[in-house]
Amino acid sequence: MLNAHDERREAKVAGWIGIAMVAFFLVPLPFVRNPLTRPFPYWSDSSDSISTWFAQNPSISGYTIDIAFGLLFIWFAAGLKRWLTGPGRAPLYAELLIPSALSVGLCWMMSNAAFLLGPIAAQRPAAINSAYLHLSYDLCVTFGYAGSLPLALFSYAAGSLILKNTTLPRWTGWTSRVLAVAHFAYFFNVLTTDDSPFTPWGWGSFGSYVGFALWSLALGVMMIRSPRPTPPPAPTPSPAAPAAVTVPTP
């Protein structure tokens, strides 16, 4: 069994993991040529346009580091679950955090691994044509969309757990629920083919992940600075002493 000191240390470690996760998520963006207007290619772009984008943004090291984002998220989710749940039986929302985080983490690692093929192939244009780059980018987008649904479940479960079972500021719970709706809506942007910010990986769609990163950063700081936010269990009343039996005297 862990004592209070060990639990506090684990919460701090998980908090730092969450901050590192956000840092890894943001690593590739400084290397992108137009991070504010068009951070990534659009789903509707041609194969030549996508290969040109990879040639202009050859951040192999940045995308390699970004693969670790999914792995760190799994660790952060495990620490977050323990921090948000008190001793005793955890609510159902808490039990949804780990399997949904595993699904999201695997999808993100596969998505970033597929995305990494782009800058690698762009350095060898004579050996790999633009159609291959388009395929690798399509795989990246597909895994990213697959991860948005379990991420919506994770955000909703975390928000519900915060609101019902913790003493954290209520805005952290409501923000998580709003992000759950955004992640769910993000999944259906796969149907968008117009060249707009709401096409896949445009800022309108990618913003849900940016919001999630900021929410995770806020919780990571709270995990480092604050004790477990769950209220103490209500004291169990001690059983009443048996009434004394009076024996009548003859």
Side-chain angles (χ1 to χ4, degrees):
M1 296 292 293
L2 295 177
N3 56 37
H5 175 72
D6 292 336
E7 288 187 351
R8 194 70 204 97
R9 183 188 61 202
E10 288 192 348
K12 287 184 177 181
V13 170
W16 283 113
I17 290 293
I19 294 175
M21 174 190 74
V22 175
F24 282 11
F25 171 75
L26 298 175
V27 158
L29 294 183
F31 299 96
V32 176
R33 191 171 184 179
N34 299 308
L36 297 180
T37 58
R38 192 169 181 178
F40 301 104
Y42 288 164
W43 186 281
S44 57
D45 286 351
S46 65
S47 298
D48 291 336
S49 298
I50 292 177
S51 62
T52 300
W53 186 91
F54 278 118
Q56 294 174 347
N57 299 275
S59 177
I60 295 178
S61 58
Y63 301 132
T64 303
I65 293 175
D66 203 34
I67 294 177
F69 176 61
L71 184 63
L72 293 180
F73 173 65
I74 297 173
W75 190 337
F76 172 71
L80 181 65
K81 176 193 173 184
R82 174 169 291 181
W83 188 62
L84 293 179
T85 54
R89 188 173 183 179
L92 175 62
Y93 296 121
E95 303 303 330
L96 293 174
L97 293 179
I98 301 304
S100 59
L102 286 172
S103 301
V104 174
L106 290 175
C107 286
W108 279 345
M109 285 188 282
M110 295 298 294
S111 177
N112 284 296
F115 198 79
L116 179 62
L117 296 175
I120 292 177
Q123 294 187 355
R124 293 179 287 179
I128 301 175
N129 58 31
S130 58
Y132 173 82
L133 288 176
H134 203 159
L135 175 61
S136 68
Y137 185 71
D138 286 348
L139 288 174
C140 165
V141 174
T142 300
F143 281 116
Y145 275 109
S148 63
L149 287 182
L151 183 57
L153 177 62
F154 175 89
S155 297
Y156 182 80
S160 300
L161 188 59
I162 288 173
L163 291 173
K164 293 180 185 246
N165 201 50
T166 71
T167 57
L168 289 176
R170 295 187 66 81
W171 67 263
T172 57
W174 285 113
T175 300
S176 186
R177 283 187 170 182
V178 170
L179 287 172
V181 175
H183 297 316
F184 188 75
Y186 174 74
F187 176 79
F188 292 97
N189 283 337
V190 71
L191 305 176
T192 304
T193 58
D194 296 333
D195 193 7
S196 72
F198 293 97
T199 199
W201 294 115
W203 263 120
S205 303
F206 194 63
S208 61
Y209 281 94
V210 176
F212 176 76
L214 296 177
W215 175 82
S216 300
L217 179 62
L219 279 187
V221 172
M222 292 179 186
M223 292 172 72
I224 294 172
R225 301 182 60 184
S226 305
R228 175 180 281 170
T230 51
T236 303
S238 57
V245 178
T246 303
V247 179
T249 57

